[in-house]
Amino acid sequence: EIVQAIEAALKQDTRLPAPEGLLASGGALEGLHVVVTSGPTHEPIDPVRYIANRSSGRQGHAIAAAAARAGARVTVISGPVALPDPPGCETIRIESARDMLAAVEAALPADIFVAAAAVADWRAEPAVDKIKKGERGAPSLSLVENPDILASVSRGPNRPRLVVGFAAETRDIIRHAQEKLARKGCDLIVANDVSEGTGVFGGAMNQAHLVSRAGVEDWPRLRKEDVAERLVARLAQLIGGEMS
Amino acid sequence: EIVQAIEAALKQDTRLPAPEGLLASGGALEGLHVVVTSGPTHEPIDPVRYIANRSSGRQGHAIAAAAARAGARVTVISGPVALPDPPGCETIRIESARDMLAAVEAALPADIFVAAAAVADWRAEPAVDKIKKGERGAPSLSLVENPDILASVSRGPNRPRLVVGFAAETRDIIRHAQEKLARKGCDLIVANDVSEGTGVFGGAMNQAHLVSRAGVEDWPRLRKEDVAERLVARLAQLIGGEMS
């Protein structure tokens, strides 16, 4: 695996401070494949309208970059974001939740799956033509439940050894995260408060709680890059402990 | 008015090729105030989700810039776009249709109003908390009709002398534009085909039809900047004819 990591590092663009940086940071995820989802999804309503959300992709992209720095081969499945692709990762851009699920399934098998994207729970059944204002006032938009990517991966035949979900909540953060952990069958939930005024959604900072069956770690308010470093360090510990 | 225009030009940043360019382009809109709306609106569903559309703001921003080059004082009311503010204009950024209407009303009186924004016809009645997935499946989203900015301005007490609407259609383009002209009480409709495959929405090119009570002009497929130049030239003709 060390040979593979060095070979991989040597294949990288020489302008990147890759080989030394990679080995210096411990290469704690060397030889492992990490799949990360990031950003929002866009769900079409008709040819011009869509449902979106305020996810910037900053947290997911930072996790992908941190995992790559730790030596992992990283595949990022990203919704529409205004960010550059995270360095050292293979980035696949999609729009809708269904496209994201297909891209994730195509990227498996993996050792670690981090579902950081803010996937739309629902989509509208899209209209072929632009919906027009009628005489009878506003229509009601029928929503259809989207596939549950986290649960699909977590309960699927190619389940990675570590599956990490995110919970963006506006109240009862820890309780909702614990319920989500059980319902989705994943190993960890990174829970955060996205209520108005926190500036987490779309912002630079994050205050996270790491929820597992073992308990809850409350992390301080950190830059999203630092949350990413911490999370990758914990993932390396957990997967190292499992392998040893 | 010429003195005002020269003073205004002299006030501009000297790195801009402003004074000569402005006078060379005829200053056909000198002394006039033009209000342009541009871009999409974002309509919140809850603290994290919103309804958006694929408008890039390119056409509206190009019209604003062209009007400023023609000597007008230009106020742009823009939804969320990834573009720089158009040069020589005062740009006000808003998110929702209701905020756009309020900003337009605050910007009046004006001589010309160009409603190039892709304003959401409907909004959801926003939830205070993030809507959660329930056990009973997907919810139905109740939509509420947004204010009609074009009709409000066109039929309002501060009606500009020229009111121009846009019609983004996927079929029966001309007929829908003629109906819209009558229904909204405006003077011109710039109609275009936004069906999938045309690449107009979000793209660089536009194929426009200028619809008035006098008839229809079919314009060739042009860059959006050239559509803007043509439209501003026609507006100068029309308002000049009206004033003389």
Side-chain angles (χ1 to χ4, degrees):
Chain A
E1 274 141 351
I2 291 175
V3 172
Q4 283 180 334
I6 292 171
E7 280 177 358
L10 289 174
K11 269 189 219 156
Q12 291 185 21
D13 188 312
T14 51
R15 287 168 301 178
L16 294 174
E20 300 78 21
L22 187 155
L23 296 177
S25 73
L29 296 179
E30 265 171 37
L32 301 183
H33 182 208
V34 177
V35 175
V36 180
T37 67
S38 187
T41 63
H42 285 182
E43 305 297 329
I45 297 172
D46 67 15
V48 298
R49 301 181 181 91
Y50 58 93
I51 299 175
N53 68 66
R54 300 187 193 283
S55 169
S56 64
R58 282 183 73 141
Q59 187 61 80
H61 277 47
I63 291 164
R69 283 196 303 275
R73 174 166 79 82
V74 181
T75 309
V76 185
I77 321 290
S78 175
V81 297
L83 299 174
D85 291 348
C89 305
E90 184 191 3
T91 304
I92 296 162
R93 296 211 174 225
I94 52 76
E95 289 222 338
S96 72
R98 286 182 292 178
D99 293 345
M100 182 173 275
L101 176 60
V104 167
E105 286 178 343
L108 297 180
D111 301 284
I112 302 176
F113 176 60
V114 181
V119 181
D121 292 328
W122 306 289
R123 66 177 183 276
E125 206 54 67
V128 174
D129 288 319
K130 186 182 166 194
I131 300 168
K132 295 193 70 65
K133 259 182 169 168
E135 280 81 32
R136 290 181 304 156
S140 171
L141 201 57
S142 280
L143 300 178
V144 181
E145 200 159 327
N146 264 331
D148 186 326
I149 298 174
L150 180 58
S152 294
V153 171
S154 191
R155 302 195 187 283
N158 274 320
R159 190 192 199 277
R161 279 180 287 160
L162 267 183
V163 175
V164 184
F166 273 66
E169 303 289 348
T170 46
R171 55 170 65 185
D172 296 336
I173 300 166
I174 302 300
R175 185 172 62 78
H176 283 141
Q178 285 167 330
E179 287 170 6
K180 186 168 185 174
L181 186 83
R183 199 169 63 242
K184 309 282 177 144
C186 56
D187 304 299
L188 288 172
I189 293 278
V190 180
N192 35 50
D193 182 351
V194 296
S195 43
E196 281 182 278
T198 63
V200 167
F201 235 70
M205 304 293 287
N206 199 355
Q207 179 153 16
H209 309 270
L210 192 64
V211 177
S212 68
R213 271 173 294 276
V216 179
E217 283 178 27
D218 298 311
W219 291 359
R221 190 172 165 84
L222 295 169
R223 292 191 317 130
K224 288 184 175 175
E225 290 73 15
D226 296 327
V227 169
E229 289 286 351
R230 243 183 216 239
L231 180 65
V232 165
R234 295 289 284 121
L235 296 178
Q237 278 178 349
L238 289 165
I239 209 157
E242 186 202 67
M243 289 194 295
S244 66
Chain B
E1 275 139 349
I2 290 175
V3 173
Q4 283 180 333
I6 292 172
E7 281 178 357
L10 289 174
K11 271 190 218 155
Q12 291 184 23
D13 189 310
T14 50
R15 286 168 301 178
L16 295 174
E20 301 78 21
L22 188 154
L23 297 177
S25 74
L29 296 180
E30 265 171 38
L32 301 183
H33 182 210
V34 177
V35 175
V36 180
T37 66
S38 187
T41 63
H42 284 182
E43 306 296 330
I45 297 172
D46 66 15
V48 297
R49 302 182 180 90
Y50 58 94
I51 299 175
N53 68 65
R54 300 187 192 282
S55 169
S56 65
R58 283 184 71 142
Q59 187 62 79
H61 277 47
I63 291 164
R69 283 195 303 274
R73 174 166 79 82
V74 181
T75 308
V76 185
I77 320 289
S78 176
V81 297
L83 299 174
D85 291 348
C89 305
E90 182 191 4
T91 304
I92 296 161
R93 295 211 175 227
I94 51 77
E95 288 222 339
S96 72
R98 286 182 292 179
D99 292 344
M100 182 173 275
L101 176 61
V104 167
E105 285 177 343
L108 296 180
D111 301 284
I112 301 176
F113 176 60
V114 181
V119 180
D121 292 329
W122 306 289
R123 65 177 183 277
E125 205 55 66
V128 174
D129 288 318
K130 188 182 165 192
I131 301 168
K132 296 192 70 65
K133 258 182 170 168
E135 280 80 32
R136 290 179 305 155
S140 171
L141 201 59
S142 279
L143 300 177
V144 181
E145 200 158 328
N146 264 330
D148 186 326
I149 298 174
L150 180 58
S152 293
V153 172
S154 192
R155 302 194 186 282
N158 274 320
R159 190 192 198 276
R161 279 180 286 161
L162 268 181
V163 175
V164 184
F166 273 65
E169 303 290 348
T170 46
R171 54 171 64 186
D172 296 335
I173 300 166
I174 302 300
R175 184 172 61 78
H176 282 141
Q178 286 167 330
E179 288 169 5
K180 186 169 186 174
L181 186 83
R183 198 167 64 243
K184 309 283 177 141
C186 57
D187 304 298
L188 289 172
I189 292 278
V190 181
N192 35 50
D193 183 351
V194 296
S195 43
E196 281 182 278
T198 63
V200 166
F201 235 69
M205 304 293 287
N206 200 355
Q207 180 153 16
H209 310 270
L210 192 65
V211 177
S212 68
R213 272 174 292 276
V216 179
E217 284 178 26
D218 298 310
W219 291 359
R221 190 172 165 84
L222 295 168
R223 291 189 317 129
K224 288 183 175 175
E225 289 75 13
D226 296 328
V227 169
E229 289 287 350
R230 241 183 218 240
L231 180 65
V232 165
R234 295 288 284 121
L235 296 178
Q237 278 178 349
L238 288 165
I239 209 157
E242 186 201 67
M243 289 194 295
S244 65

